[in-house]
Amino acid sequence: MQELLVPTRLRSQRTLRIVLGWLMAGCLAALFEHNALRSHGVDSTLWDRIDERFLPSLFAGLIAGGVYIFFLRNYLRKYAYFKALFIMGLIMLPLVAFSGAWLPGYGEDFMARLFSPNFLGQYLYWTLLM
């Protein structure tokens, strides 16, 4: 029984490190966004930007990190780095499309949002973060 818990504990620790990395990246993105808004004369507070990014980064780290560490890691190890990255990018596409283009719209034109620069930026951000 103890032998079964050790790999799970190691995988949980790795997932936690991924979550912390995603949270740090989310806070850094919030800082960049805050600075960009302020430099263009838009009223912005850093805490508002962090508040917008914290939960999505937390859940993305938990879900993506957990799925990767517990399910995909051993499967993707047999591929070369760029092929594995491509496969992960394909996996991320429907997730980001659902959360970034379909969910926020609620009846707006999904296809217009899907092919917008905003969606492309979100997809590249989350895929590179992955």
Side-chain angles (χ1 to χ4, degrees):
M1 178 71 171
Q2 187 68 18
E3 297 90 28
L4 294 174
L5 293 178
V6 172
T8 302
R9 185 178 311 137
L10 288 173
R11 288 179 177 176
S12 298
Q13 290 171 348
R14 288 178 180 147
T15 302
L16 179 61
R17 285 194 302 263
I18 290 171
V19 169
L20 292 175
W22 282 61
L23 285 173
M24 289 186 336
C27 289
L28 187 61
L31 176 64
F32 289 147
E33 182 179 1
H34 168 70
N35 288 337
L37 290 171
R38 295 291 303 233
S39 70
H40 288 89
V42 177
D43 189 30
S44 172
T45 63
L46 180 58
W47 292 115
D48 287 342
R49 302 291 76 76
I50 289 175
D51 188 42
E52 291 172 355
R53 301 255 182 193
F54 184 80
L55 284 178
S57 297
L58 176 68
F59 289 130
L62 282 171
I63 293 169
V67 167
Y68 173 73
I69 292 295
F70 283 94
F71 301 107
L72 293 176
R73 184 171 176 232
N74 291 335
Y75 170 75
L76 292 175
R77 281 189 159 188
K78 63 184 175 184
Y79 295 111
Y81 175 75
F82 287 109
K83 186 172 184 177
L85 186 65
F86 178 76
I87 292 169
M88 287 296 291
L90 289 177
I91 291 170
M92 289 294 292
L93 185 59
L95 297 173
V96 176
F98 176 74
S99 64
W102 185 72
L103 274 182
Y106 304 118
E108 294 178 21
D109 187 16
F110 170 72
M111 294 306 285
R113 279 191 321 282
L114 186 62
F115 292 104
S116 71
N118 184 37
F119 172 77
L120 178 62
Q122 286 182 8
Y123 174 69
L124 290 175
Y125 171 77
W126 290 109
T127 302
L128 291 174
L129 186 58
M130 169 227 21

